[in-house]
Amino acid sequence: VCLWQMSARAGLDHRLQSRLDRMGQAVVMLAPQAVYCERRKKSAAVNLKLDALKAQFSQQRWSDVLTHASMLGPAYVEGQALPSVAQKVEAFFTAHPRMSGLMAGLTMAHQHACIERVRAVCAEFDGVASIGVLENNACAVDLESSDHIRALLDADRRIDTKVIAVEPLLLPAMPECFADYMVEELLTPAALKQEGLDMSHCVGGYHAQVRSNVVRILRIRGNSADKRTWSTAEVTQDDARLARHKAPHGTSVPLGPRAHLKVVQHCGRFNKGPLAMNEAVLRFVVLLHGRVDLATRAELARSGTRTAKERSLTGKVAVPIS
C-alpha cells in the first residue's frame, strides 16, 4: 500500500518555485535562532536547575540524564527536577539502558512518571523480567498508558516454554585457567526468567530477542556458593568482522555456530559490574567462537582438550591475579 509518494504531480511556475525555495531556506536558517530566543525567555530559576543538574552528574563517565538535558536544554528540567528524582531516573536508565532511548525527548518529570508507571505494572507480573520485555518490545507510546503496558505483558505470558528454534552457539571448552568456570547458553523462556530471578535483573524478558536470532544470552558461573562470581552476558553478531568474512555467494553468516561475536552488555547480580575473572572468561569465549571448524570443536567439547590455536588464544586473554 502506497500512502504517499515524492514524485511531483504537476509542474510549478518557476517564479513560484523560486519563492518557495527561498522560504524553505529561511526556515532552515531562522529555526535555530528561534529556538535560541525561546530558551532565553526561560526564567533564571530554570537555568539554575539545569546548571545544578549538570553539576550533580558532572563526575560520571556517562550519564543518560545529562544526554537528555543536552538534547532539550532548560525544557528538560521544567516541573519536577529534584536531585533525588534525577538520581532515580539515572539509576533506572543505568539498569535498563534501552529504556533511555524509549524516553528520549521527555522532560525529567515525565520520565519519572513513566518509570513509576512501568514499575507499578511490572510488579503485577514478573518484576524486572517484565521490564526486560518492555525494553525489547515496547515503543514510546506504550509507556504512556498502564493498559498498553499490561497488554504487552499479557501477550508475552502466552508465549510457550519450548526451546527457542535457533541454532545454538558452539561454546569452547574451558582451558585450565578457567577450570572453575562454566558458560552456558540460555535457550528457553523459562531458563531466561530463572536467570533473571537468580541475578535480579531483566534478562528474563529477552526471549523475543533470542527467538528473532538477534542476540544470545550466556550464563557465566564460577563458584556456585559465591554469587559474586556469577554474571550474565548478551552477545550479538559483530558486523565489523562480518563485513570481512562473507559466506559463499556473498550471503551473510547468520548468528549461529560460525558467528563472529561481540558483547552488548555483561552484568553481575543487581546489574552491577562483573568480576575481572568473569570478564576474562567472556573475552575468551568471544575470541574463540567461530575460529575452529565445527567438527574439531565438537570433538574438543567431548574430550575437553584444546588445539594449538585454542592454546594460542588463551595466551592472548589477560587473566587477572586474585
Side-chain angles (χ1 to χ4, degrees), residues 95 199 201 230-233 265-274:
M199 302 294 289
H201 55 46
W230 297 7
S231 62
T232 311
Q265 53 182 330
H266 185 199
C267 302
R269 297 187 73 219
F270 308 106
N271 277 308
K272 295 181 179 179

Side-chain angles (χ1 to χ4, degrees), residues 115-131 134 149-150 153 157:
I115 290 170
E116 293 300 306
R117 186 181 304 113
V118 165
R119 289 189 184 279
V121 176
C122 289
E124 302 172 12
F125 290 82
D126 298 320
V128 289
S130 298
I131 297 179
L134 297 179
I149 296 174
R150 287 191 185 91
L153 298 180
R157 271 184 171 178

Side-chain angles (χ1 to χ4, degrees), residues 192-266:
L192 289 166
K193 288 185 177 181
Q194 186 59 50
E195 180 73 358
L197 291 173
D198 291 342
M199 302 294 289
S200 297
H201 55 46
C202 59
V203 77
Y206 278 49
H207 54 83
Q209 294 292 92
V210 176
R211 184 174 281 104
S212 64
N213 208 22
V214 174
V215 303
R216 300 297 177 82
I217 304 299
L218 302 178
R219 171 193 287 149
I220 302 174
R221 294 291 186 269
N223 188 335
S224 59
D226 186 359
K227 294 184 179 181
R228 293 175 300 175
T229 65
W230 297 7
S231 62
T232 311
E234 176 187 355
V235 297
T236 189
Q237 179 71 266
D238 188 342
D239 294 332
R241 292 177 64 195
L242 178 62
R244 301 193 298 269
H245 298 81
K246 295 293 184 180
H249 310 297
T251 57
S252 298
V253 180
L255 183 54
R258 290 190 180 276
H260 298 290
L261 301 179
K262 71 174 180 180
V263 179
V264 178
Q265 53 182 330
H266 185 199

